[in-house]
Amino acid sequence: MKNFCTNCGRSLKMNSKYCPNCGKKITKEPINHQSRQTYNQQNIVKKSHKGIIALIAIILIVVGGGVVFYFSSNQNAVQDVTAKVIGHSKITSKKSNKLSISELSDKQRNAVVIVYASMKYDDKNWRRVLKNGQSNRIEATANFHHVVLNAENNRNDYTDYTIQPNRKYLIFSFKSTLGESSLDKMIDYINDHNYESIVNQLSKHIVIRSVDDD
């Protein structure tokens, strides 16, 4: 590394004590080892800070990912439980809407016969009673074990049934026998085909009468 005179700028030889051009005494400035050491320490501190910051960032990413995974897992678990509860409620609700022979009223029993005869036998006379009974009153006139069902706007005595000694219902249409069935089998048929709501709606329009009422 070349030296230069600080007075005139002349190039100097190594270990020159005086400038050959201007005669100024050459003084060598000592190397500032302290400054170099301080610089190196600052670089080490900066690198150390960068390492700490990087480590903290990694920890935050890991912890954050764990938190997100935890809440995501819990949310999925909550959704699964909620879905099961809702599904169970729907099943319970469907079961509770099913007809039960022990809970049937007289009006519902007659509605069961109307819906069963209309749907099972596809009989036009019973279907007429069913259709008219959706918005009109239906009279169920009982004479001991024989019951005649007429819609208020269509009285023709075409649709009737008789309860046999064996508790089975013998169903007629215009004096012709359609078939015989027990009440529990008719209820099973209606529950299996989801006709419960029709029975419940129809029963609201049924009026029970006796031949003695005439």
Side-chain angles (χ1 to χ4, degrees):
M1 183 178 188
K2 290 186 177 181
N3 293 325
F4 297 89
C5 178
T6 57
N7 184 48
C8 66
R10 179 71 178 270
S11 176
L12 302 175
K13 294 181 179 180
M14 293 295 294
N15 299 325
S16 297
K17 294 183 177 181
Y18 295 94
C19 176
N21 183 46
C22 66
K24 182 175 176 63
K25 187 176 181 180
I26 305 302
T27 56
K28 295 183 178 179
E29 295 182 0
I31 298 173
N32 193 346
H33 294 286
Q34 183 68 26
S35 298
R36 181 176 294 276
Q37 184 178 3
T38 302
Y39 174 77
N40 290 336
Q41 289 177 347
Q42 289 176 346
N43 281 342
I44 293 172
V45 170
K46 287 181 180 178
K47 291 180 179 178
S48 177
H49 285 174
K50 288 181 180 178
I52 293 173
I53 292 172
L55 179 61
I56 292 174
I58 293 172
I59 292 173
L60 289 176
I61 291 172
V62 172
V63 172
V67 170
V68 171
F69 176 77
Y70 173 78
F71 281 105
S72 176
S73 300
N74 280 355
Q75 186 177 9
N76 291 335
V78 170
Q79 289 176 347
D80 290 342
V81 172
T82 303
K84 288 179 181 178
V85 170
I86 293 174
H88 178 72
S89 299
K90 289 182 178 179
I91 293 173
T92 304
S93 176
K94 287 183 178 180
K95 287 182 178 179
S96 63
N97 289 333
K98 297 297 182 182
L99 298 179
S100 172
I101 190 170
S102 61
E103 298 176 358
L104 284 184
S105 65
D106 289 339
K107 292 182 178 182
Q108 286 177 311
R109 190 176 294 109
N110 281 281
V112 165
V113 176
I114 295 172
V115 174
Y116 179 81
S118 301
M119 302 302 186
K120 176 69 174 179
Y121 302 122
D122 194 23
D123 180 74
K124 64 178 182 179
N125 293 318
W126 283 100
R127 280 189 173 274
R128 188 178 294 113
V129 175
L130 175 62
K131 180 180 178 180
N132 293 335
Q134 299 294 320
S135 55
N136 296 283
R137 188 174 67 173
I138 296 176
E139 292 183 355
T141 305
N143 184 10
F144 294 101
H145 299 296
H146 180 243
V147 179
V148 178
L149 290 149
N150 282 311
E152 187 177 32
N153 62 338
N154 186 30
R155 300 174 185 272
N156 53 28
D157 294 345
Y158 285 173
T159 47
D160 58 317
Y161 67 89
T162 300
I163 302 177
Q164 305 288 76
N166 60 3
R167 307 305 300 169
K168 289 188 177 182
Y169 287 62
L170 192 59
I171 301 172
F172 303 96
S173 173
F174 194 43
K175 304 185 184 303
S176 297
T177 303
L178 293 179
E180 186 182 61
S181 178
S182 62
L183 184 59
D184 56 346
K185 287 186 177 180
M186 287 191 285
I187 291 174
D188 288 342
Y189 175 85
I190 288 171
N191 286 335
D192 290 342
H193 291 80
N194 299 317
Y195 295 148
E196 307 92 338
S197 60
I198 301 176
V199 170
N200 291 327
Q201 181 65 28
L202 193 65
S203 65
K204 296 177 182 178
H205 297 154
I206 293 178
V207 177
I208 306 294
R209 299 176 66 250
S210 172
V211 291
D212 297 333
D213 296 336
D214 293 336

